[in-house]
Amino acid sequence: MTAPIETTGSQAEAAPEAVLAGVKSKQIEGRSLGQIAWTRFKRDKLAVTGGVIVVLLILIALLSRPLQSLLGLDPNAFQQDLVDPNTSLPKGGFGGMSLDHPLGVDPKFGRDILARILEGSWVSLVVAFGATILSNIIGVVLGLVAGYYGGRVDTVVSRLMDTFLAFPLLLFAIAISATLQGGAFGLEGLPLHIGVLIFVIGFFNWPYMARIVRGQTLALREREFIDASRGMGAKGPYILFRELLPNLVGPITVYATLLIPTNIIFEASLSFLGVGIQPPQASWGGMLREAVNFFQVDPQFMLVPGLAIFITVLAFNLLGDGLRDALDPRSR
């Protein structure tokens, strides 16, 4: 047997100092879950690109009217001198593109397409965000209640979700929008059209969010911190909105980001069918409807609003995918 190696007291005391020598405090500082998610998100170049485009689109929508005033544009100004009276097509090539009208003018009326794209941007985003907020509020509340309480409450909410999912949403939206075009609830014109679209799209889309929240709540309600809250005498509403809801911010944010582009397409579809935003108010779907009669001879008129919808939807989808991967790395 070899004799054990004896260490002096000074060597034993020096060992921890040797291990920690040169280590700075900020190098071993812990990071929060938000910081970790932000680090993951920054590594996804496509998600960052989508986020930048989304921020620019929101700024453009918020500053739509000031930008039109600054550029001297009017989305509803008829400029017949820019249209050939014989063909109703814009004069010049590429849909009448020029320095004064960089995206050209529309056939028949000569209205500036850039001005109408700017004007339609805030309409699309207001409807999409409003409908998303409405469906999220309903879906989150009902999903939390169904997942936490279970039993008959869960059965009733689940059957209600199945009923709403069975509705032919597009046909129902067309019927409601067409019925309320004249005036209702003391509203008329553009406020009525926007309100109806937000209600129709948001109210009938809540089951998707409710299903996600219900599934997450079923898993969370068995965790130790929920048992601890019950043991301390916490009531149901407190547990729902102070314990469970903060732990569901990630999934809710991700799904809301992915739901916004779906709502943009839905609004554009209803406007394209003539039961959404009504002229003379500009909307991307309405511009596509007007371009149907001219796409063979003036493709520029259809290309611009189509690209606006495509870029907006793609940017939100890229942002949503990036947030999903950042907040839940297991989804990779």
Side-chain angles (χ1 to χ4, degrees), residues 45-63:
K45 302 304 181 184
L46 288 178
V48 172
T49 302
V52 171
I53 295 175
V54 166
V55 172
L56 291 177
L57 289 170
I58 294 175
L59 290 176
I60 289 173
L62 292 174
L63 301 176

Side-chain angles (χ1 to χ4, degrees), residues 132-307:
T132 301
I133 292 172
L134 177 60
S135 60
N136 281 4
I137 291 175
I138 300 174
V140 167
V141 172
L142 292 181
L144 280 172
V145 170
Y148 178 72
Y149 289 105
R152 292 183 178 179
V153 175
D154 187 20
T155 300
V156 172
V157 175
S158 297
R159 296 297 77 76
L160 191 61
M161 286 190 285
D162 294 337
T163 302
F164 271 79
L165 291 173
F167 270 102
L169 180 55
L170 182 58
L171 296 179
F172 205 71
I174 292 173
I176 293 179
S177 300
T179 303
L180 300 178
Q181 287 298 324
F185 312 112
L187 298 174
E188 60 182 10
L190 182 60
L192 174 65
H193 299 150
I194 291 178
V196 169
L197 288 174
I198 290 175
F199 172 77
V200 170
I201 298 174
F203 185 71
F204 290 96
N205 272 335
W206 67 263
Y208 301 101
M209 175 61 75
R211 282 189 165 183
I212 292 174
V213 173
R214 173 184 173 273
Q216 295 287 333
T217 304
L218 286 173
L220 288 174
R221 73 177 184 179
E222 306 300 333
R223 300 285 294 274
E224 292 80 2
F225 68 95
I226 299 298
D227 291 335
S229 296
R230 292 196 195 101
M232 296 176 65
K235 303 299 182 181
Y238 179 89
I239 295 176
L240 288 176
F241 298 104
R242 297 297 298 275
E243 298 289 348
L244 288 171
L245 185 58
N247 288 278
L248 296 173
V249 170
I252 292 172
T253 302
V254 170
Y255 185 74
T257 308
L258 295 173
L259 187 60
I260 290 173
T262 303
N263 292 339
I264 291 175
I265 294 177
F266 206 120
E267 180 275 325
S269 300
L270 292 177
S271 297
F272 179 82
L273 295 172
V275 293
I277 303 299
Q278 299 296 307
Q281 174 61 44
S283 69
W284 294 345
M287 293 177 69
L288 287 175
R289 183 182 72 249
E290 296 171 0
V292 168
N293 297 325
F294 299 96
F295 76 94
Q296 291 183 333
V297 291
D298 186 15
Q300 171 82 5
F301 188 29
M302 177 172 282
L303 183 63
V304 174
L307 281 176

